[in-house]
Amino acid sequence: MGASMHKFFIAAAIAAIAISLNPYISFASGCDYSTLKGRRIMLDPGHGGDDCGAVRHGVKESHLNLSAALNLRKFLELSGADVIMTRDTDEAVSLNGRFDAIDKVKPD
């Protein structure tokens, strides 16, 4: 992994931790979030369980993915969207399980 990728990964980890510790979600001013109201959105945080993805300095990609998705879910729900996640804990979801969830939920 190159130096620039290493810096990006560390910055992403710090951002994910800061976001997960912040109980408030900020909305960009001047944006119309009303278009999200009533939309069914499925979030699929990659990896999970035994498949942790990339690991750098003890930070697992699966944890970053989940943290970002959980915070995005909060934002989307505050905007009126119906959010379904393929996982909301550190668990493995098979590729077929992900496809089955899409077929079952039929997100927008």
Side-chain angles (χ1 to χ4, degrees), residues 1-55:
M1 185 179 295
S4 63
M5 187 64 164
H6 171 73
K7 289 177 185 177
F8 170 78
F9 193 79
I10 296 299
I14 291 169
I17 291 167
I19 290 168
S20 68
L21 294 175
N22 184 356
Y24 304 102
I25 301 292
S26 62
F27 293 82
S29 62
C31 294
D32 181 12
Y33 296 104
S34 66
T35 58
L36 294 172
K37 188 172 177 98
R39 297 283 186 161
R40 179 176 288 168
I41 299 172
M42 177 172 272
L43 299 178
D44 182 21
H47 302 292
D50 292 338
D51 177 15
C52 61
V55 179

Side-chain angles (χ1 to χ4, degrees), residues 16 41-54 60-74 76 83-95 97-99 101-102:
I41 299 172
M42 177 172 272
L43 299 178
D44 182 21
H47 302 292
D50 292 338
D51 177 15
C52 61
K60 296 179 181 179
E61 181 182 2
S62 60
H63 292 172
L64 292 176
N65 293 344
L66 182 58
S67 178
L70 290 170
N71 281 289
L72 179 57
R73 177 177 69 180
K74 288 179 196 175
L76 292 169
V83 180
I84 301 95
M85 296 185 59
T86 56
R87 69 181 185 98
D88 57 8
T89 61
D90 187 22
E91 62 186 294
V93 179
S94 70
L95 187 56
R98 295 169 196 270
F99 288 135
I102 292 168

